[in-house]
Amino acid sequence: MTLVKTLAVGAIAAGTVLATNALAQSAREIRGASPYVAVENEPAPRLIVDPPLPEGLAIGVFWAQYRVENVRIVQVFGAGARQVSPRIGHLHITVDDLPWWWADASDNNTVDIAGLPAGPHKVTIALVDADHKVFPGQTTTLTFIVPEHEKMGHAGHRK
């Protein structure tokens, strides 16, 4: 009887390992192409941005998670970097149609803008190449309203 139990436990363990391996996605499927191999005929880059998180808006902070496809967000800039494969780029972020923007090459998956006053706002996020040119069609504009909230100090601490 002990042998039968041992064989049954072993069969269950082996089945679990096989099922887990069958369902697992490869690193390439999740992370994309290896940086050591040039990618021929790369698909177009894509920017996906979620709506701002309400928890942040309640305190005057814009948090919007994003992800990109077919491009790596890295801190490399200039015309020569446009020839890199797999493709690289970064984000340009504009608030309320101001004439200036900033570049975000951190790839931390969340745009974070603090200190917004109560009222309507607009944030535009563009996916750009290493030479700051927008990838065609890869700009997202989010409009939202920040509710009345307690003002925050410069360091993010409540006044």
Side-chain angles (χ1 to χ4, degrees):
M1 189 55 115
T2 304
L3 179 59
V4 172
K5 286 182 182 177
T6 303
L7 290 174
V9 169
I12 290 170
T16 301
V17 168
L18 289 174
T20 301
N21 287 340
L23 296 175
Q25 292 181 298
S26 73
R28 182 184 179 98
E29 290 171 321
I30 300 297
R31 304 268 327 229
S34 169
Y36 297 107
V37 179
V39 177
E40 300 296 326
N41 302 313
E42 288 183 272
R46 188 165 170 231
L47 171 66
I48 300 98
V49 182
D50 291 347
L53 297 173
E55 297 88 346
L57 295 180
I59 59 171
V61 178
F62 172 90
W63 289 319
Q65 291 183 273
Y66 70 89
R67 69 182 178 88
V68 295
E69 294 177 355
N70 308 316
V71 63
R72 293 176 190 263
I73 302 291
V74 296
Q75 298 175 12
V76 177
F77 306 96
R82 284 185 292 154
Q83 305 309 313
V84 172
S85 176
R87 180 186 297 115
I88 61 174
H90 58 278
L91 303 178
H92 282 180
I93 302 163
T94 307
V95 178
D96 294 334
D97 291 324
L98 291 169
W100 52 268
W101 49 262
W102 74 90
D104 182 350
S106 67
D107 196 24
N108 74 352
N109 106 338
T110 303
V111 174
D112 178 0
I113 306 168
L116 293 169
H121 295 279
K122 178 167 65 169
V123 171
T124 301
I125 303 169
L127 180 60
V128 302
D129 67 19
D131 205 24
H132 306 285
K133 292 181 177 56
V134 177
F135 288 111
Q138 299 311 304
T139 300
T140 299
T141 299
L142 301 170
T143 56
F144 55 95
I145 296 174
V146 173
E148 288 295 330
H149 58 86
E150 195 174 324
K151 292 188 179 187
M152 299 181 88
H154 180 70
H157 301 285
R158 297 193 189 280
K159 286 185 172 183

